[in-house]
Amino acid sequence: RCVMERRTGQGWSLIKLREQVLKVAATFTVKARQIRMRLSVAADRWWPRLLLGICRLQPLPD
């Protein structure tokens, strides 16, 4: 939720996050050593921003 707030510049409630980011249709394909997840068109709006934010997260110090 914090990542989405930083990436979009607007507040995100848990309900909004769940409905617009987590509740999207996905298809899983399993082949040999790969598992691929294909998100629906509805996910195109928020998932690219979320993934960029997640990739930039730093691990918490011990």
Coordinates of all heavy atoms in Angstrom, one line a residue:
R1 N 0.8 -1.2 0.0 CA 0.0 0.0 0.0 C 0.9 1.2 0.0 O 0.6 2.2 -0.7 CB -0.9 -0.1 1.2 CG -1.8 1.1 1.3 CD -2.8 0.9 2.5 NE -2.9 2.1 3.2 CZ -3.3 2.3 4.4 NH1 -3.6 1.2 5.1 NH2 -3.5 3.4 4.9
C2 N 1.9 1.2 0.8 CA 2.8 2.4 0.8 C 3.5 2.6 -0.5 O 3.7 3.7 -0.9 CB 3.9 2.2 1.9 SG 3.1 2.2 3.6
V3 N 3.9 1.5 -1.2 CA 4.6 1.6 -2.5 C 3.6 2.2 -3.5 O 4.0 3.1 -4.2 CB 5.0 0.2 -3.0 CG1 5.5 0.3 -4.4 CG2 6.1 -0.4 -2.1
M4 N 2.4 1.8 -3.5 CA 1.4 2.4 -4.4 C 1.2 3.9 -4.1 O 1.0 4.7 -5.0 CB 0.1 1.7 -4.4 CG 0.1 0.3 -5.0 SD 0.7 0.3 -6.8 CE -0.7 1.1 -7.6
E5 N 1.2 4.3 -2.8 CA 1.0 5.7 -2.5 C 2.2 6.5 -3.1 O 2.0 7.6 -3.6 CB 0.9 5.9 -1.0 CG -0.5 5.4 -0.5 CD -0.6 5.6 1.0 OE1 0.3 6.2 1.7 OE2 -1.6 5.2 1.6
R6 N 3.4 6.0 -2.9 CA 4.5 6.7 -3.4 C 4.6 6.7 -5.0 O 4.9 7.8 -5.5 CB 5.8 6.0 -2.9 CG 6.2 6.5 -1.5 CD 7.4 5.8 -1.1 NE 7.0 4.5 -0.6 CZ 7.8 3.5 -0.4 NH1 9.1 3.6 -0.6 NH2 7.4 2.3 0.0
R7 N 4.2 5.6 -5.6 CA 4.3 5.6 -7.1 C 3.2 6.4 -7.7 O 3.4 6.9 -8.8 CB 4.2 4.1 -7.5 CG 5.3 3.2 -7.1 CD 6.6 3.6 -7.6 NE 6.6 3.6 -9.1 CZ 7.5 4.2 -9.8 NH1 8.6 4.8 -9.2 NH2 7.5 4.2 -11.1
T8 N 2.0 6.5 -7.1 CA 0.9 7.2 -7.8 C 0.7 8.6 -7.2 O 0.0 9.4 -7.9 CB -0.4 6.4 -7.6 OG1 -0.7 6.3 -6.2 CG2 -0.3 5.1 -8.2
G9 N 1.2 8.9 -6.1 CA 1.1 10.2 -5.5 C -0.3 10.5 -4.9 O -0.7 11.6 -4.7
Q10 N -1.0 9.4 -4.6 CA -2.4 9.6 -4.0 C -2.5 8.5 -2.9 O -1.8 7.5 -2.9 CB -3.5 9.4 -5.1 CG -3.4 8.1 -5.8 CD -4.5 8.0 -6.8 OE1 -5.6 8.6 -6.7 NE2 -4.2 7.3 -7.9
G11 N -3.4 8.8 -2.0 CA -3.7 7.9 -0.9 C -4.3 6.6 -1.3 O -5.1 6.6 -2.2
W12 N -4.0 5.5 -0.7 CA -4.5 4.2 -1.0 C -5.1 3.5 0.2 O -4.3 3.2 1.1 CB -3.5 3.3 -1.7 CG -3.3 3.6 -3.1 CD1 -2.7 4.7 -3.7 CD2 -3.7 2.8 -4.2 NE1 -2.7 4.6 -5.0 CE2 -3.4 3.4 -5.4 CE3 -4.4 1.6 -4.3 CZ2 -3.6 2.9 -6.6 CZ3 -4.7 1.1 -5.6 CH2 -4.3 1.7 -6.7
S13 N -6.3 3.3 0.3 CA -6.9 2.5 1.4 C -6.7 1.0 1.1 O -6.4 0.6 0.0 CB -8.4 2.8 1.5 OG -9.1 2.3 0.4
L14 N -6.8 0.2 2.2 CA -6.7 -1.2 2.0 C -7.7 -1.8 1.0 O -7.5 -2.7 0.2 CB -6.7 -1.9 3.3 CG -5.5 -1.7 4.2 CD1 -5.7 -2.4 5.5 CD2 -4.3 -2.2 3.6
I15 N -8.9 -1.2 1.1 CA -10.0 -1.7 0.2 C -9.7 -1.4 -1.2 O -9.9 -2.2 -2.1 CB -11.4 -1.0 0.6 CG1 -11.8 -1.5 2.0 CG2 -12.4 -1.3 -0.4 CD1 -12.9 -0.8 2.6
K16 N -9.2 -0.1 -1.5 CA -8.9 0.2 -2.9 C -7.7 -0.6 -3.4 O -7.8 -1.1 -4.6 CB -8.5 1.7 -2.9 CG -8.1 2.2 -4.3 CD -7.8 3.7 -4.3 CE -7.4 4.2 -5.7 NZ -7.1 5.6 -5.7
L17 N -6.7 -0.9 -2.6 CA -5.6 -1.7 -3.0 C -6.1 -3.1 -3.3 O -5.7 -3.7 -4.4 CB -4.6 -1.8 -1.9 CG -3.4 -2.7 -2.2 CD1 -2.5 -2.0 -3.2 CD2 -2.6 -3.0 -0.9
R18 N -6.9 -3.7 -2.5 CA -7.4 -5.0 -2.7 C -8.3 -5.1 -4.0 O -8.1 -6.0 -4.8 CB -8.3 -5.5 -1.5 CG -8.8 -6.9 -1.7 CD -9.6 -7.4 -0.5 NE -10.9 -6.7 -0.7 CZ -11.7 -6.4 0.3 NH1 -11.4 -6.7 1.6 NH2 -12.9 -5.8 0.1
E19 N -9.2 -4.1 -4.2 CA -10.1 -4.2 -5.3 C -9.4 -3.9 -6.7 O -9.7 -4.5 -7.7 CB -11.2 -3.2 -5.1 CG -12.2 -3.7 -4.1 CD -13.3 -2.7 -3.8 OE1 -13.2 -1.5 -4.3 OE2 -14.2 -3.0 -3.0
Q20 N -8.4 -3.0 -6.7 CA -7.8 -2.6 -8.0 C -6.5 -3.3 -8.3 O -6.0 -3.3 -9.4 CB -7.6 -1.1 -8.0 CG -9.0 -0.4 -7.9 CD -8.9 1.1 -8.2 OE1 -7.9 1.6 -8.7 NE2 -9.9 1.8 -8.0
V21 N -5.8 -3.8 -7.3 CA -4.5 -4.4 -7.5 C -4.5 -5.9 -7.3 O -4.0 -6.7 -8.1 CB -3.4 -3.7 -6.7 CG1 -2.0 -4.4 -6.9 CG2 -3.3 -2.2 -7.0
L22 N -5.0 -6.3 -6.2 CA -5.0 -7.7 -5.8 C -6.1 -8.6 -6.4 O -5.8 -9.8 -6.7 CB -5.0 -7.9 -4.3 CG -3.9 -7.2 -3.5 CD1 -4.0 -7.4 -2.0 CD2 -2.5 -7.7 -4.0
K23 N -7.2 -8.0 -6.7 CA -8.3 -8.8 -7.3 C -8.3 -8.7 -8.8 O -9.2 -8.1 -9.4 CB -9.6 -8.3 -6.7 CG -9.9 -8.9 -5.3 CD -11.4 -8.5 -5.0 CE -11.8 -9.2 -3.7 NZ -13.2 -8.9 -3.4
V24 N -7.3 -9.2 -9.5 CA -7.3 -9.1 -10.9 C -7.2 -10.6 -11.4 O -6.6 -11.4 -10.7 CB -6.1 -8.3 -11.5 CG1 -6.3 -6.9 -11.1 CG2 -4.8 -8.8 -11.0
A25 N -7.8 -10.8 -12.5 CA -7.7 -12.2 -13.1 C -6.3 -12.5 -13.6 O -5.7 -11.6 -14.2 CB -8.8 -12.3 -14.2
A26 N -5.9 -13.7 -13.4 CA -4.6 -14.1 -13.9 C -4.7 -15.6 -14.4 O -5.5 -16.4 -13.9 CB -3.6 -14.0 -12.8
T27 N -3.9 -15.9 -15.3 CA -3.8 -17.2 -15.9 C -2.4 -17.8 -15.6 O -1.4 -17.1 -15.9 CB -4.1 -17.3 -17.4 OG1 -5.3 -16.6 -17.7 CG2 -4.1 -18.7 -17.9
F28 N -2.3 -19.0 -15.0 CA -1.0 -19.6 -14.8 C -0.7 -20.7 -15.8 O -1.6 -21.5 -16.1 CB -0.9 -20.1 -13.3 CG -0.9 -19.1 -12.3 CD1 -2.1 -18.6 -11.7 CD2 0.3 -18.6 -11.8 CE1 -2.1 -17.6 -10.8 CE2 0.3 -17.6 -10.9 CZ -0.9 -17.1 -10.3
T29 N 0.5 -20.7 -16.3 CA 0.9 -21.7 -17.2 C 2.2 -22.4 -16.6 O 3.1 -21.7 -16.2 CB 1.3 -21.1 -18.6 OG1 0.2 -20.3 -19.0 CG2 1.7 -22.2 -19.6
V30 N 2.1 -23.7 -16.5 CA 3.2 -24.5 -15.9 C 3.9 -25.3 -17.0 O 3.2 -26.1 -17.6 CB 2.8 -25.4 -14.7 CG1 3.9 -26.2 -14.2 CG2 2.1 -24.6 -13.7
K31 N 5.2 -25.1 -17.2 CA 5.9 -25.8 -18.2 C 7.3 -26.1 -17.7 O 8.0 -25.2 -17.2 CB 6.1 -25.0 -19.5 CG 4.8 -24.8 -20.3 CD 5.1 -24.0 -21.6 CE 3.9 -23.8 -22.3 NZ 4.1 -23.0 -23.6
A32 N 7.7 -27.4 -17.7 CA 9.0 -27.8 -17.3 C 9.5 -27.1 -16.0 O 9.0 -27.3 -14.9 CB 10.0 -27.7 -18.4
R33 N 10.4 -26.1 -16.2 CA 10.9 -25.4 -15.0 C 10.4 -24.0 -14.9 O 10.9 -23.2 -14.1 CB 12.5 -25.3 -15.2 CG 13.1 -26.6 -15.2 CD 14.6 -26.5 -15.3 NE 15.2 -27.8 -15.4 CZ 16.5 -28.0 -15.5 NH1 17.3 -26.9 -15.6 NH2 17.0 -29.2 -15.6
Q34 N 9.3 -23.6 -15.6 CA 8.8 -22.3 -15.5 C 7.4 -22.3 -15.1 O 6.6 -23.1 -15.4 CB 8.9 -21.6 -16.9 CG 10.3 -21.3 -17.4 CD 10.2 -20.7 -18.8 OE1 9.2 -20.5 -19.4 NE2 11.4 -20.2 -19.2
I35 N 7.0 -21.3 -14.3 CA 5.6 -21.0 -14.0 C 5.4 -19.5 -14.4 O 6.1 -18.6 -13.9 CB 5.3 -21.1 -12.5 CG1 5.6 -22.6 -12.0 CG2 3.9 -20.7 -12.2 CD1 5.4 -22.8 -10.6
R36 N 4.5 -19.3 -15.4 CA 4.3 -18.0 -15.9 C 2.9 -17.5 -15.4 O 1.9 -18.3 -15.4 CB 4.3 -17.9 -17.4 CG 5.7 -18.2 -17.9 CD 5.7 -18.0 -19.4 NE 7.1 -18.2 -19.9 CZ 7.5 -17.9 -21.1 NH1 6.6 -17.5 -22.0 NH2 8.7 -18.1 -21.5
M37 N 2.8 -16.3 -15.1 CA 1.6 -15.7 -14.7 C 1.2 -14.6 -15.7 O 2.0 -13.7 -15.9 CB 1.6 -15.1 -13.2 CG 0.3 -14.5 -12.8 SD 0.4 -13.8 -11.1 CE 1.4 -12.4 -11.3
R38 N 0.1 -14.7 -16.2 CA -0.4 -13.6 -17.2 C -1.6 -12.9 -16.6 O -2.6 -13.5 -16.3 CB -0.8 -14.3 -18.5 CG -1.1 -13.3 -19.5 CD -1.3 -13.9 -20.9 NE -1.6 -12.9 -21.8 CZ -2.1 -13.1 -23.0 NH1 -2.3 -14.3 -23.4 NH2 -2.4 -12.1 -23.8
L39 N -1.4 -11.6 -16.4 CA -2.4 -10.8 -15.8 C -3.4 -10.3 -16.8 O -3.0 -10.1 -18.0 CB -1.8 -9.6 -15.1 CG -0.9 -9.9 -13.9 CD1 -0.2 -8.7 -13.4 CD2 -1.7 -10.6 -12.8
S40 N -4.6 -10.1 -16.4 CA -5.6 -9.6 -17.4 C -5.4 -8.1 -17.7 O -4.5 -7.5 -17.2 CB -7.0 -9.7 -16.7 OG -7.1 -8.8 -15.7
V41 N -6.1 -7.6 -18.7 CA -6.0 -6.3 -19.2 C -6.3 -5.3 -18.0 O -5.7 -4.2 -18.0 CB -6.9 -6.0 -20.4 CG1 -6.9 -4.6 -20.8 CG2 -6.5 -6.9 -21.5
A42 N -7.1 -5.7 -17.1 CA -7.5 -4.8 -16.0 C -6.3 -4.5 -15.1 O -6.2 -3.4 -14.5 CB -8.6 -5.4 -15.2
A43 N -5.3 -5.3 -15.1 CA -4.1 -5.2 -14.3 C -3.1 -4.2 -14.9 O -2.2 -3.7 -14.2 CB -3.4 -6.5 -14.1
D44 N -3.3 -3.9 -16.2 CA -2.3 -3.0 -16.9 C -2.2 -1.6 -16.3 O -1.2 -0.9 -16.4 CB -2.7 -2.8 -18.4 CG -2.3 -4.1 -19.1 OD1 -1.5 -4.9 -18.6 OD2 -2.8 -4.2 -20.3
R45 N -3.2 -1.2 -15.6 CA -3.2 0.2 -15.0 C -2.3 0.3 -13.8 O -1.6 1.3 -13.8 CB -4.7 0.5 -14.6 CG -4.8 1.9 -14.1 CD -6.2 2.3 -13.9 NE -6.3 3.7 -13.4 CZ -7.4 4.2 -12.9 NH1 -8.5 3.6 -12.9 NH2 -7.3 5.5 -12.5
W46 N -2.3 -0.6 -12.9 CA -1.6 -0.4 -11.7 C -0.4 -1.3 -11.5 O 0.6 -1.0 -10.8 CB -2.5 -0.6 -10.4 CG -3.6 0.3 -10.4 CD1 -5.0 0.0 -10.5 CD2 -3.6 1.8 -10.4 NE1 -5.7 1.1 -10.5 CE2 -4.9 2.2 -10.4 CE3 -2.6 2.7 -10.3 CZ2 -5.2 3.6 -10.3 CZ3 -2.9 4.0 -10.2 CH2 -4.2 4.5 -10.3
W47 N -0.4 -2.5 -12.0 CA 0.7 -3.5 -11.8 C 2.1 -3.0 -12.3 O 3.1 -3.2 -11.6 CB 0.4 -4.8 -12.4 CG -0.3 -5.6 -11.3 CD1 -1.7 -5.8 -11.2 CD2 0.2 -6.4 -10.3 NE1 -2.0 -6.6 -10.1 CE2 -0.8 -6.9 -9.5 CE3 1.5 -6.6 -9.8 CZ2 -0.6 -7.7 -8.4 CZ3 1.8 -7.4 -8.7 CH2 0.7 -8.0 -8.0
P48 N 2.2 -2.3 -13.4 CA 3.6 -1.8 -13.8 C 4.1 -0.9 -12.8 O 5.3 -0.9 -12.5 CB 3.3 -1.1 -15.2 CG 2.1 -1.8 -15.7 CD 1.2 -2.1 -14.5
R49 N 3.3 0.0 -12.3 CA 3.8 1.0 -11.3 C 4.2 0.2 -10.0 O 5.2 0.6 -9.4 CB 2.8 2.0 -11.0 CG 2.5 3.0 -12.1 CD 1.5 4.0 -11.6 NE 1.1 4.8 -12.8 CZ 0.4 5.9 -12.7 NH1 -0.1 6.3 -11.5 NH2 0.1 6.6 -13.7
L50 N 3.4 -0.7 -9.6 CA 3.7 -1.5 -8.4 C 5.0 -2.3 -8.5 O 5.8 -2.3 -7.6 CB 2.5 -2.4 -8.1 CG 2.7 -3.3 -6.8 CD1 2.8 -2.4 -5.6 CD2 1.5 -4.2 -6.7
L51 N 5.2 -2.9 -9.6 CA 6.4 -3.7 -9.8 C 7.7 -2.8 -9.8 O 8.7 -3.2 -9.3 CB 6.3 -4.5 -11.1 CG 5.3 -5.6 -11.1 CD1 5.2 -6.3 -12.5 CD2 5.6 -6.7 -10.0
L52 N 7.6 -1.6 -10.4 CA 8.7 -0.7 -10.3 C 9.1 -0.3 -8.9 O 10.2 -0.3 -8.5 CB 8.5 0.5 -11.2 CG 8.6 0.4 -12.7 CD1 8.1 1.7 -13.3 CD2 10.0 0.0 -13.1
G53 N 8.0 -0.1 -8.1 CA 8.2 0.3 -6.7 C 8.8 -0.9 -5.9 O 9.6 -0.7 -5.0
I54 N 8.3 -2.1 -6.2 CA 8.8 -3.2 -5.4 C 10.2 -3.5 -5.7 O 11.0 -3.9 -4.8 CB 7.9 -4.5 -5.7 CG1 6.5 -4.3 -5.1 CG2 8.5 -5.7 -5.2 CD1 5.5 -5.3 -5.5
C55 N 10.6 -3.4 -7.0 CA 12.0 -3.7 -7.4 C 13.0 -2.7 -6.7 O 14.1 -3.0 -6.5 CB 12.2 -3.6 -8.9 SG 11.3 -4.9 -9.7
R56 N 12.5 -1.5 -6.4 CA 13.4 -0.5 -5.7 C 13.4 -0.6 -4.2 O 14.1 0.2 -3.6 CB 13.0 0.9 -6.2 CG 13.2 1.1 -7.7 CD 12.9 2.5 -8.1 NE 13.1 2.6 -9.5 CZ 12.5 3.4 -10.3 NH1 11.6 4.2 -9.8 NH2 12.8 3.4 -11.6
L57 N 12.7 -1.5 -3.6 CA 12.6 -1.6 -2.2 C 14.0 -2.1 -1.7 O 14.6 -3.0 -2.3 CB 11.5 -2.6 -1.7 CG 10.1 -2.1 -1.8 CD1 9.2 -3.2 -1.4 CD2 9.9 -0.8 -0.9
Q58 N 14.4 -1.6 -0.6 CA 15.6 -2.0 0.1 C 15.3 -2.9 1.2 O 14.3 -2.7 1.9 CB 16.5 -0.8 0.6 CG 16.9 0.1 -0.6 CD 17.9 -0.6 -1.5 OE1 18.7 -1.3 -1.1 NE2 17.8 -0.3 -2.8
P59 N 16.1 -4.0 1.5 CA 15.8 -4.8 2.7 C 16.0 -4.0 4.0 O 16.8 -3.1 4.0 CB 16.8 -5.9 2.6 CG 17.8 -5.5 1.5 CD 17.2 -4.4 0.7
L60 N 15.2 -4.4 5.0 CA 15.3 -3.7 6.2 C 16.6 -4.2 7.0 O 17.0 -5.3 6.9 CB 14.1 -4.1 7.1 CG 12.7 -3.6 6.6 CD1 11.6 -4.2 7.5 CD2 12.7 -2.1 6.7
P61 N 17.3 -3.2 7.6 CA 18.5 -3.6 8.3 C 18.1 -4.4 9.6 O 17.1 -4.3 10.2 CB 19.1 -2.3 8.7 CG 18.0 -1.3 8.7 CD 17.0 -1.8 7.7
D62 N 19.0 -5.3 9.9 CA 18.8 -6.2 11.1 C 19.0 -5.5 12.4 O 19.6 -4.5 12.6 CB 19.7 -7.4 11.1 CG 19.4 -8.3 9.9 OD1 18.2 -8.4 9.6 OD2 20.3 -9.0 9.4

